Amino acid sequence: MSVVKRMTPDRQRALNLLKERLDGRLRSHLNSCVRCGLCGESCHYYLTKADPRYLPGYKVDQIAGVFRRYYTLIGRLFPRWVGARDFDEETIEEMVDVIYGACTMCGRCSLHCSIGVDIVYLIRTARSMLAEIDLVPPGLQSTVDAAVETGNNMAIPREELVDTLQWIEEDLQLDLEDENASIPLDRKGARVLYTLNPREPKFFPLSISAAGKIFHVAGEDWNISTHVYDVTNYAYYSGCETTAAELTRRLYDEAVKLEAEVLLLSECGHGFRSIRWEGPQWINRPYPFEVRSVIEQIADYIRSGRIRLDPALNQQPVTLHDPCNLVREGGVFESQRFVLNNSVQNFIEMTPNREDSYCCGGGGGQLSMSRYRERRIEAGKLKADQIRETGAKIVATPCHNCIDQIMELNLVYKLGIQVKTVAELAADALVRTEKS
Amino acid sequence: MRTYHLVLLTGFGIFSLISLFYLIRVVKEGRRSDPSQPEGRVLPAVVYALTASMSPLRKETAYLHVPTYTAGLLFHVGTFLGFGWLAIHLFQLRIGPFLTTGSAFLLMVSAVCGLSILIKRIVTPEMRILSNPDDYASNLLVTGFQALSALTLLRSDLIPVLFIYGGVLFLYIPASKLRHTIYFFTSRIHLGIFYGRRGIWPPGARR
């Protein structure tokens, strides 16, 4: 028999958080894992390096073991017998390493778990506990802090954003040979409020340009807010729900202020998941506007004939990487395929794809946690091999985190590919008609 | 009523009460309200979560591990068959020799499956790291129950031993990993709700 040790106040806060979150869903998942070990093949970390610490079941046990120790009778009385563990320094150190450093929260293991444990949900809860005691890895925390303090995760000053968008607008006018082509800013009453990943104005202006081109040809009534535009929400990854709610509330307020009917999200996996699905739970209210991914919108433009595309304008073989948070965890499966099938001549599916797609390794906030870079690149080898097998020259993916990771994989594993957003390929295939 | 009847019934009674408590608590605690606009329907997804999603055609942990999956499936069938025979013995129902012999065979097969899963846990280094004493004990207890159930069908003088064993097993279930008897269903229902709202399950409903 073992006595539960006294907790330091900060650790007690983390345990209290676990208790506060303990609803029927969390309790079910915490009690279900039978440690069958079959989940290994679902995890890109385990598949690339057969370290048992990378088994999803092992990661689950980090939080489930703590739960058993403090919130079950048998775990309090006979901790060793049931694998209950004290929430001590050793446990916390291991939790940080495997919960932050060896998981992208891609959800592949949850989908295939032999029992049905929502492993991502448990990882998120574990991250919340660690965030409660300020143990978020510094790179990830500074990304969150930048978003909170400056309004975007890359700390881009507003003037710089406006300059960039104006430059893109001029470029768009030249490209379309139409002086009416524009990037409307801060316009109240526009039907669509379009968000950006700060990486776009900073490093990938072409993807903003592509979206602008499509909106213009489709005759969309749209605009971008220069005050609140960041589609990302890294607090989802850090586990701090208070901050996640704050960032969601800002977007919500801006969309309401600008009277938008549609909050249109640029190509960002976790941004889609955070805003579309988690956001209403964080701020505990429904949205009075619709939330969509831009690729769903482009697919609608094609279906309704608002834009016409010519696949012959994209001749090179293209493959698609499914971002986990948009597809497996977000439910957008076919829109990106529909757009690509209309935009490129030779579209090759990766195997496996859709909900079975392997994570590229860039999710979970991994790109901002430099201490785990080596692991991230190693885990990405699975995706690199998948890409190579398709023989494609272009990888399309509707997510900027995935783009960054695949670009890095391209360099490390010498894939010889280009990486593009889906909107970029659609914009390249746009056919101007008299009407447009 | 003999002592061994009492042991079995007491074990079963305590198991039922605790299980009911677990179930009521999970239902009562519910889940966090989700004001997001749903994209799909929850009920078909929950049905899918409890049925086709677990088939070897869909579930990677099944189709990549067919021997383990099959052994696991038979192991669980054997457990429920064993419980069924406990009831048959308790109520002294008459069952024909064909079903009795068939059950004994199936119970022996399922016990062998349980043993094979236990051996896999013992000899695979990854599994050893993942396992705690309860994992071994739970398996051993259930495997033993199945083997004893099979023997009882061949030698009825072992029924008192089976009743006592069954009573102990019932007592152990809520305290150990065997409580997944209850939480397995609630987990899959919650997973179905999650994927159903987002239009991910069932696969036919996707956008």
Side-chain angles (χ1 to χ4, degrees):
Chain A
M1 211 176 280
S2 167
V3 177
V4 174
K5 290 175 194 157
R6 283 182 74 87
M7 278 287 116
T8 58
D10 57 341
R11 288 179 194 167
Q12 189 58 53
R13 274 205 323 273
L15 290 175
N16 291 345
L17 183 139
L18 177 61
K19 194 176 179 183
E20 282 161 23
R21 296 257 182 102
L22 208 52
D23 59 8
R25 179 186 178 197
L26 184 58
R27 192 185 293 279
S28 293
H29 293 307
L30 282 167
N31 275 300
S32 293
C33 181
V34 293
R35 294 169 288 284
C36 67
L38 302 181
C39 46
E41 278 84 357
S42 298
C43 177
H44 54 295
Y45 279 97
Y46 183 79
L47 281 170
T48 47
K49 189 180 180 183
D51 182 340
R53 293 172 62 249
Y54 292 168
L55 280 167
Y58 180 85
K59 296 170 202 171
V60 163
D61 213 44
Q62 299 308 305
I63 177 170
V66 171
F67 164 76
R68 286 194 291 272
R69 181 72 177 111
Y70 297 95
Y71 300 117
T72 66
L73 182 64
I74 199 83
R76 280 172 172 268
L77 298 177
F78 309 105
R80 281 180 188 277
W81 185 256
V82 293
R85 55 174 64 89
D86 285 323
F87 193 53
D88 56 16
E89 208 157 308
E90 194 187 341
T91 300
I92 290 171
E93 203 174 306
E94 185 66 351
M95 276 178 90
V96 170
D97 195 62
V98 298
I99 298 287
Y100 281 113
C103 180
T104 54
M105 298 159 76
C106 76
R108 202 169 184 281
C109 49
S110 305
L111 190 83
H112 289 293
C113 171
S114 56
I115 290 286
V117 179
D118 190 341
I119 297 169
V120 178
Y121 186 54
L122 296 184
I123 296 284
R124 272 175 64 192
T125 309
R127 285 191 178 196
S128 293
M129 289 172 70
L130 296 169
E132 191 69 18
I133 47 179
D134 302 323
L135 285 173
V136 180
L140 180 55
Q141 187 58 51
S142 65
T143 309
V144 176
D145 292 343
V148 173
E149 285 157 22
T150 71
N152 68 88
N153 74 50
M154 300 210 76
I156 304 169
R158 183 170 174 270
E159 298 72 32
E160 192 182 316
L161 173 78
V162 172
D163 278 353
T164 306
L165 293 176
Q166 282 171 349
W167 162 72
I168 293 171
E169 182 178 79
E170 286 162 21
D171 202 49
L172 196 64
Q173 289 168 354
L174 286 173
D175 187 25
L176 292 170
E177 295 172 348
D178 183 349
E179 61 182 23
N180 292 321
S182 67
I183 310 266
L185 304 179
D186 305 316
R187 203 160 61 78
K188 197 171 179 176
R191 192 184 83 88
V192 167
L193 175 62
Y194 186 54
T195 60
L196 301 174
N197 185 316
R199 299 193 74 74
E200 295 180 271
K202 197 79 178 171
F203 303 118
F204 302 100
L206 279 181
S207 65
I208 304 175
S209 179
K213 198 171 164 182
I214 293 167
F215 293 150
H216 180 70
V217 174
E220 187 56 84
D221 177 20
W222 71 294
N223 86 118
I224 293 172
S225 162
T226 59
H227 300 281
V228 185
Y229 60 89
D230 189 348
V231 71
T232 71
N233 193 329
Y234 280 87
Y236 165 71
Y237 284 143
S238 74
C240 181
E241 286 208 357
T242 317
T243 310
E246 167 62 21
L247 296 173
T248 306
R249 202 172 293 113
R250 289 180 190 179
L251 260 181
Y252 174 95
D253 290 344
E254 192 67 0
V256 168
K257 190 181 90 185
L258 293 175
E259 297 170 3
E261 288 173 35
V262 179
L263 182 63
L264 197 60
L265 311 176
S266 70
E267 297 178 59
C268 178
H270 89 275
F272 179 83
R273 179 181 180 157
S274 298
I275 298 167
R276 171 70 181 85
W277 292 114
E278 312 299 339
Q281 296 176 59
W282 289 329
I283 65 173
N284 199 24
R285 72 178 89 153
Y287 298 147
F289 44 79
E290 189 184 357
V291 179
R292 309 189 83 191
S293 161
V294 68
I295 54 169
E296 294 176 286
Q297 189 65 53
I298 297 171
D300 275 3
Y301 292 152
I302 300 169
R303 284 191 197 101
S304 61
R306 284 173 73 174
I307 60 170
R308 273 188 48 223
L309 304 176
D310 180 4
L313 295 170
N314 284 314
Q315 300 261 352
Q316 287 193 306
V318 175
T319 190
L320 170 71
H321 164 64
D322 285 304
C324 309
N325 281 309
L326 182 76
V327 182
R328 183 167 40 240
E329 301 280 296
V332 181
F333 286 85
E334 302 305 328
S335 297
Q336 56 275 42
R337 291 176 163 77
F338 178 74
V339 174
L340 285 177
N341 276 315
N342 279 277
S343 308
V344 308
Q345 202 151 52
N346 185 7
F347 171 49
I348 309 157
E349 285 278 12
M350 277 188 218
T351 309
N353 56 57
R354 294 180 173 82
E355 73 268 38
D356 288 330
S357 171
Y358 287 112
C359 177
C360 64
Q366 293 301 329
L367 282 159
S368 52
M369 296 186 278
S370 53
R371 64 163 88 156
Y372 305 120
R373 181 188 174 273
E374 205 176 312
R375 263 185 219 174
R376 167 169 62 81
I377 296 299
E378 197 173 39
K381 186 174 182 301
L382 203 62
K383 183 54 64 179
D385 290 343
Q386 262 192 300
I387 293 170
R388 205 191 306 275
E389 275 170 30
T390 65
K393 293 293 167 205
I394 296 172
V395 176
T397 184
C399 171
H400 277 277
N401 270 343
C402 300
I403 286 178
D404 282 3
Q405 168 76 349
I406 294 172
M407 283 171 77
E408 205 169 337
L409 296 177
N410 187 27
L411 290 175
V412 175
Y413 296 107
K414 299 180 174 47
L415 299 174
I417 49 153
Q418 279 182 281
V419 192
K420 292 189 174 189
T421 63
V422 175
E424 281 170 30
L425 286 162
D428 289 344
L430 263 181
V431 178
R432 302 292 309 279
T433 59
E434 266 317 290
K435 202 179 152 196
S436 64
Chain B
M1 191 175 281
R2 304 279 178 95
T3 311
Y4 53 85
H5 287 113
L6 269 176
V7 172
L8 176 66
L9 291 173
T10 307
F12 182 72
I14 292 171
F15 157 78
S16 301
L17 280 175
I18 298 176
S19 298
L20 195 66
F21 166 70
Y22 283 171
L23 201 61
I24 290 170
R25 186 171 58 180
V26 163
V27 172
K28 206 173 153 193
E29 286 175 338
R31 56 191 284 132
R32 190 179 190 175
S33 80
D34 184 353
S36 65
Q37 184 67 33
E39 195 66 52
R41 290 170 56 223
V42 163
L43 188 60
V46 169
V47 171
Y48 178 76
L50 292 166
T51 54
S53 72
M54 293 186 286
S55 89
L57 296 174
R58 294 278 181 196
K59 201 162 68 172
E60 190 175 76
T61 42
Y63 61 71
L64 288 182
H65 301 273
V66 174
T68 307
Y69 175 77
T70 312
L73 212 61
L74 285 170
F75 186 47
H76 283 81
V77 168
T79 308
F80 288 106
L81 186 63
F83 288 148
W85 273 103
L86 263 185
I88 290 168
H89 292 315
L90 185 67
F91 295 111
Q92 296 176 339
L93 303 175
R94 287 187 173 276
I95 304 291
F98 178 74
L99 276 181
T100 308
T101 316
S103 294
F105 177 73
L106 193 55
L107 282 163
M108 280 319 290
V109 170
S110 70
V112 170
C113 289
L115 201 61
S116 71
I117 294 170
L118 180 65
I119 291 168
K120 186 182 172 194
R121 191 176 284 284
I122 293 167
V123 300
T124 316
E126 289 87 10
M127 294 290 292
R128 279 204 304 274
I129 288 172
L130 212 56
S131 305
N132 54 56
D134 173 40
D135 291 315
Y136 301 103
S138 292
N139 181 307
L140 210 55
L141 200 58
V142 177
T143 302
F145 170 69
Q146 293 175 4
L148 189 58
S149 298
L151 285 177
T152 310
L153 294 175
L154 306 174
R155 281 185 52 183
S156 58
D157 59 320
L158 288 173
I159 287 177
V161 183
L162 179 71
F163 276 24
I164 291 167
Y165 196 113
V168 173
L169 177 62
F170 277 128
L171 283 175
Y172 192 65
I173 291 173
S176 67
K177 74 179 269 187
L178 297 176
R179 63 176 172 265
H180 76 265
T181 311
I182 300 130
Y183 290 115
F184 165 79
F185 294 101
T186 57
S187 284
R188 287 213 80 82
I189 289 169
H190 279 293
L191 203 65
I193 294 171
F194 174 82
Y195 286 133
R197 279 187 62 82
R198 297 182 182 205
I200 296 163
W201 278 359
R206 286 171 187 167
R207 64 194 191 281

